[in-house]
């Protein structure tokens, strides 16, 4: 496949993006790396993490297994890229999925629905959607709930989709639980000083994709970018510093974490396709919800460190019924980044000025060829 793309001399990334996005005939997925099944691959190598920076108790507070038990990988030719294959304890993903759907979309956080709806209409997205979503007949075409119309949510320093910038005056407190989770993941990868300052949540459906882009809006590119995946799986393409560089395709399954740092921090990447989660996935809603109550076997309902209560808490059966219905056909992605370096402040600049690299897609999802963020000038990009 790669040889064929290079022979034709076409933009290698764009052509591979279109290939995996294609519905008929379906593409050949045999070249897609699957870190959950890797036994031996010349392109992939194990990455050592630091198990001393986060205690087992601290990890358990966030629903994580001890760091020494994580499976982390790197890819030849991508220094600074770390792929962690589902480091979460069995049952703990339920909490983070519930946070993405019920907690994080709440005000004062910002979402795509705020672009064309009043604050009162988007005040309680979960409450206005939960019953309707749960009672839907999968065989009928019914109006979408607000939760199903959700495309992105921003946290902390809120990303401006028009100017592709952050600003000091558009900020709300970053969630404590996600801050702690991100800090510990980054510390295990060698970034103990990482501070989670901004987050973008993307909500993908079965026909969704994310265009080719680079994350360069942060003022300091030294800290890593963290990406968490939950729900259905995705094909992720990781390219180079130029659009012409041939990307590497890999699966992101539920619970997987990617860390992009160093050379890999400013590489082109995209998500051309959402694919069904592997059979036997613990989040498959057709399976029994063992681990739903996160009982004593997981240690998540008991204090994990002296004097502290766990961050990951029990998800009620009622809440999980809504969440499981949602993720039958959907994927959730949380990207967390540090915006400012030590001693840095936001410059006083013209906020209407676009960034120099105008071909950057941004983080909003593309569905059926339409950007779901604020309207922009149409382009010939994927």
């Amino acid at each position: 496949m790669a040889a064929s793309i290079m022979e034709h001399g076409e933009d290698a990334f764009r052509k591979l993006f279109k290939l995996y996005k294609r519905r008929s005939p379906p593409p050949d997925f045999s070249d897609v790396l699957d870190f959950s099944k890797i036994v031996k691959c010349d392109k992939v190598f194990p990455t050592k993490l630091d198990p001393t920076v986060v205690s087992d108790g601290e990890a358990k507070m966030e629903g994580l297994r001890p760091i020494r038990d994580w499976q982390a990988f790197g890819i030849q030719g991508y220094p600074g890229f770390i792929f962690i294959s589902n480091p979460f304890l069995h049952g703990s993903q339920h909490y983070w999925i519930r946070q993405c759907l019920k907690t994080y979309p709440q005000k004062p956080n910002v979402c795509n629905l705020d672009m064309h709806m009043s604050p009162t209409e988007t005040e309680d997205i979960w409450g206005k959607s939960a019953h309707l979503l749960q009672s839907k007949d999968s065989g009928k075409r019914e109006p979408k709930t607000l939760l199903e119309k959700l495309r992105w949510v921003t946290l902390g320093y809120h990303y401006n989709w028009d100017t592709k910038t952050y600003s000091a005056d558009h900020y709300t407190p970053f969630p404590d639980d996600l801050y702690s989770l991100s800090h510990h993941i980054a510390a295990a990868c060698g970034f103990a000083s990482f501070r989670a300052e901004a987050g973008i949540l993307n909500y993908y459906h079965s026909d969704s994709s994310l265009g080719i882009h680079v994350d360069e809006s942060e003022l300091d590119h030294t800290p890593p970018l963290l990406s968490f995946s939950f729900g259905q799986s995705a094909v992720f393409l990781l390219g180079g510093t130029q659009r012409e560089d041939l990307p590497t395709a890999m699966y992101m399954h539920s619970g997987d974490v990617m860390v992009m740092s160093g050379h890999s921090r400013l590489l082109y990447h995209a998500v051309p396709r959402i694919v069904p989660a592997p059979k036997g996935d613990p989040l498959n809603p057709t399976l029994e919800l063992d681990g739903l109550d996160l009982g004593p076997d997981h240690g998540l309902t008991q204090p994990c460190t002296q004097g502290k209560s766990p961050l990951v808490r029990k998800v009620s059966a009622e809440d999980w019924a809504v969440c499981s219905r949602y993720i039958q056909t959907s994927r959730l992605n949380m990207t967390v980044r540090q915006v400012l370096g030590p001693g840095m402040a936001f410059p006083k600049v013209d906020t209407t000025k676009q960034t120099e690299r105008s071909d950057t897609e941004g983080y909003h999802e593309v569905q059926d060829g339409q950007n779901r963020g604020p309207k922009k000038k149409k382009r010939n990009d994927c």
Side-chain angles (χ1 to χ4, degrees):
M1 185 186 300
S4 173
I5 290 174
M6 298 307 289
E7 271 183 44
H8 289 81
E10 189 179 335
D11 178 337
F13 204 132
R14 186 181 181 192
K15 188 169 184 181
L16 202 60
F17 183 100
K18 291 166 64 177
L19 185 145
Y20 284 118
K21 187 178 173 70
R22 190 180 68 200
R23 297 288 167 177
S24 181
D28 178 5
F29 293 102
S30 61
D31 288 339
V32 182
L33 293 176
D34 191 340
F35 291 94
S36 67
K37 299 179 180 179
I38 285 181
V39 179
K40 185 178 180 181
C41 176
D42 293 337
K43 197 170 186 177
V44 175
F45 58 90
T47 296
K48 289 186 178 181
L49 303 178
D50 187 350
T52 65
V53 294
V54 181
S55 69
D56 293 357
E58 289 174 320
K60 191 176 292 185
M61 286 182 66
E62 281 125 27
L64 296 169
R65 291 183 280 115
I67 295 176
R68 61 180 176 275
D69 295 335
W70 296 4
Q71 289 186 309
F73 305 93
I75 303 178
Q76 298 289 351
Y78 297 95
F81 177 80
I82 301 173
F83 191 104
I84 305 173
S85 182
N86 188 12
F88 291 92
L89 289 165
H90 181 67
S92 67
Q93 289 186 50
H94 298 79
Y95 171 83
W96 296 106
I97 291 172
R98 196 270 309 274
Q99 292 297 88
C100 289
L101 294 175
K102 184 177 183 178
T103 305
Y104 297 153
Q106 293 179 8
K107 298 295 174 269
N109 298 329
V110 181
C111 71
N112 63 292
L113 301 179
D114 296 322
M115 303 298 107
H116 52 84
M117 298 176 69
S118 68
T120 55
E121 290 177 299
T122 61
E123 188 174 1
D124 185 12
I125 294 174
W126 173 274
K128 294 173 181 177
S129 304
H131 177 71
L132 293 173
L133 183 62
Q134 194 173 356
S135 61
K136 271 194 170 187
D137 185 343
S138 58
K140 296 181 179 179
R141 291 183 62 87
E142 300 180 44
K144 290 184 178 181
T145 64
L146 292 180
L147 202 55
E148 292 171 299
K149 293 179 180 179
L150 203 58
R151 295 295 178 263
W152 52 261
V153 168
T154 55
L155 312 171
Y157 288 115
H158 297 284
Y159 186 72
N160 186 313
W161 303 104
D162 291 325
T163 64
K164 300 181 181 178
T165 60
Y166 300 94
S167 63
D169 58 356
H170 198 194
Y171 173 84
T172 56
F174 195 89
D176 290 338
D177 53 0
L178 184 54
Y179 182 98
S180 183
L181 173 70
S182 302
H183 173 72
H184 286 152
I185 293 279
C189 296
F191 300 94
S193 61
F194 177 80
R195 303 188 314 274
E197 295 178 328
I200 300 179
L201 279 59
N202 275 344
Y203 299 77
Y204 295 81
H205 300 298
S206 58
D207 58 351
S208 301
S209 60
L210 181 69
I212 306 167
H213 68 282
V214 176
D215 295 287
E216 58 182 359
S217 296
E218 294 70 36
L219 275 66
D220 185 7
H221 299 143
T222 305
L225 182 146
L226 278 57
S227 176
F228 301 86
S229 185
F230 299 108
Q232 297 300 305
S233 300
V235 175
F236 179 82
L237 298 180
L238 181 63
T241 57
Q242 304 294 325
R243 282 287 293 265
E244 294 74 22
D245 296 333
L246 182 67
T248 295
M250 65 195 80
Y251 286 115
M252 283 199 75
H253 298 307
S254 192
D256 288 345
V257 181
M258 291 193 308
V259 179
M260 299 175 68
S261 67
H263 171 78
S264 295
R265 177 62 178 80
L266 295 175
L267 298 184
Y268 281 98
H269 53 281
V271 176
R273 193 184 188 99
I274 304 302
V275 294
K279 292 183 179 179
D281 186 280
L283 289 178
N284 190 324
T286 62
L287 302 178
E288 291 186 11
L289 299 180
D290 52 338
L292 173 62
D293 60 359
L294 304 178
D297 288 344
H298 304 292
L300 294 174
T301 58
Q302 304 296 324
C304 298
T305 56
Q306 189 66 32
K308 294 184 179 181
S309 298
L311 296 177
V312 173
R313 296 181 179 275
K314 177 180 178 178
V315 176
S316 69
E318 182 181 3
D319 280 359
W320 183 247
V322 177
C323 293
S324 63
R325 180 64 183 266
Y326 181 91
I327 64 169
Q328 283 182 18
T329 56
S330 301
R331 170 182 180 253
L332 305 168
N333 180 244
M334 304 189 298
T335 56
V336 179
R337 66 286 307 282
Q338 180 175 327
V339 178
L340 301 170
M344 293 182 69
F346 288 101
K348 295 181 179 179
V349 296
D350 181 0
T351 57
T352 63
K353 184 179 179 181
Q354 296 289 330
T355 53
E356 291 183 3
R357 191 177 295 191
S358 59
D359 57 355
T360 300
E361 280 283 306
Y363 254 83
H364 56 279
E365 160 207 351
V366 178
Q367 185 173 9
D368 293 333
Q370 296 295 322
N371 290 339
R372 294 296 179 175
K375 292 183 179 179
K376 294 184 177 182
K377 183 178 178 181
K378 289 186 177 181
R379 297 177 19 229
N380 293 324
D381 199 277
C382 293

